[in-house]
Amino acid sequence: METEQEKANMSKAVSADSASYRCSACHGDEDWAPNHPIRGRAKSRSLSASPALASTKEFRRTRSLHGPCPVTTFGPKACVLQNPQTIMHIQDPASQRLTWNKSPKSVLVIKKIRDASLLQPFKELCVYLMEENNMIVYVEKKVLEDPAIVSDDNFGPVKKKFCTFREDYDDISNQIDFIICLGGDGTLLYASSLFQGSVPPVMAFHLGSLGFLTPFNFENFQSQVTQVIQGNAAVVLRSRLKVRVVKELRGKKMVVPNGISENGMLAADLDAEVGKQVMQYQVLNEVVIDRGPSSYLSNVDVYLDGHLITTVQGDGVIVSTPTGSTAYAAAAGASMIHPNVPAIMITPICPHSLSFRPIVVPAGVELKIMLSPEARNTVWVSFDGRRRQEICHGDSISITTSCYPLPSICVRDPVSDWFESLAQCLHWNVRKKQAHFTEEEEEELLPSTLGTPEPQSCSAASFPLGLREPADLSTCAVSPESGVRSHSTFVCNQGKSRESAFCRPDQPFLTF
């Protein structure tokens, strides 16, 4: 029992601390006090990271990307230790809606290259955006170099109004308000690669082969585009991977065209290391490390937050986002994860082990992959199927969850769109339905109850051999037609329950 003095001192301490204590994970939205009810969900807020309270300029990135802010007090005296590296979080995925601070004025239209079937939809969309919505349309320069567009005189006046750019040379990340993709899933992956930082909202039309990430149909594009421009649409935040590749120069120099690195980022933005070549990528689907042209098994070490967790011996390993879980990872036997789940999936490719199964780790961890010292050959790495390059001894690949997700606009909502894509594109859980029983078959299978006499007690003589006399013996019905008892249960003296199979009155029970 606490004394009155101890209670008074504790009350003073709680009062003093409660005035200044605010949940670090909620950015101050949750006040804790003895008489203040704790709310279960914080207010919605935009993605933002708070720097450490210390004077250091660099701070470790946030530990989580998705999910509501949790309550961090447990009972009257326990709480989570305050951490200046605060949690990054968003509102409930079911209520994620697109809004605009200002009306969008510029739009990037990405069209699948070398696809003649997309020329007419591309022209209709661009004319609608320019003439009906008075928007500035950006397109890649090589799109306008298509012979079908060059030779179209009717499209000439519109073509002169385009703003063009070249991949790896022009940085348009701060000039685009809105992105529209025409094609398959590859167009969305390409749009993601163009933005190494914040990504504008993406509206993807299904005009390709698979279309798992492109939920919109082009038939009524005018009303759908207008609805999105007005800000009335659901969005799903698809997390991306921030990948940092550090390679030894080995006598080679890094080629930087026009002062911009090969992934579209300024070379000055990369953390240069002495004698090292540093490259950085934003990946939407997966990072694939494979054995390349070699016939030997790949042998790579996987570190998680600096600790060696496993060595992958096989054809390679896939590190994917939840969005990429339905791509190469699913083909390699991994589970499919909804895009709003904060996770990173590690999937081996044909591992030379019966016990190596795909695993899911929290989105806040940092993975590092290197060649094992005893590896016989090098490995190759690709990022969303692009930028394929060789990884040698001494090179490293660091993978974390990016702070810049890709906001993909939904037709209905994140859950409905995802399951509809599973059913239509992957035929998930599609099979022939089992036929139901006819009335005649049901009557044959059900025990006959017509003309059944009152249940008769089972005698001890019919009790199973090897057991003592039962302490409790239930009755069983006897069918007059077949003389077969059914649904018999009994409890032996040892308290173990048994259920009999069908048996005749003159035979012992057959139990299982």
Side-chain angles (χ1 to χ4, degrees), residues 392-412:
C392 305
H393 286 89
D395 301 342
S396 65
I397 305 171
S398 299
I399 304 173
T400 60
T401 301
S402 173
C403 295
Y404 303 104
L406 185 142
S408 180
I409 301 175
C410 305
V411 174
R412 286 182 292 177

Side-chain angles (χ1 to χ4, degrees), residues 173 176-179 188 191-202 237-238 240 282 402 404-408:
S173 57
I176 304 300
D177 300 329
F178 180 36
I179 303 174
L188 187 65
S192 173
S193 67
L194 295 176
F195 296 85
Q196 298 299 307
S198 179
V199 185
V202 181
L237 298 182
R238 299 184 179 274
R240 300 194 295 173
Q282 295 284 337
S402 173
Y404 303 104
L406 185 142
S408 180

Side-chain angles (χ1 to χ4, degrees), residues 144-203:
L144 299 183
E145 295 174 354
D146 192 310
I149 295 180
V150 173
S151 60
D152 191 346
D153 296 334
N154 296 329
F155 195 61
V158 178
K159 185 173 59 176
K160 296 179 181 179
K161 300 180 181 179
F162 283 125
C163 293
T164 62
F165 71 96
R166 294 174 298 171
E167 184 187 8
D168 295 338
Y169 284 87
D170 301 319
D171 184 11
I172 58 172
S173 57
N174 294 325
Q175 303 175 23
I176 304 300
D177 300 329
F178 180 36
I179 303 174
I180 298 180
C181 296
L182 302 177
D185 295 342
T187 58
L188 187 65
L189 297 176
Y190 177 70
S192 173
S193 67
L194 295 176
F195 296 85
Q196 298 299 307
S198 179
V199 185
V202 181
M203 184 178 187

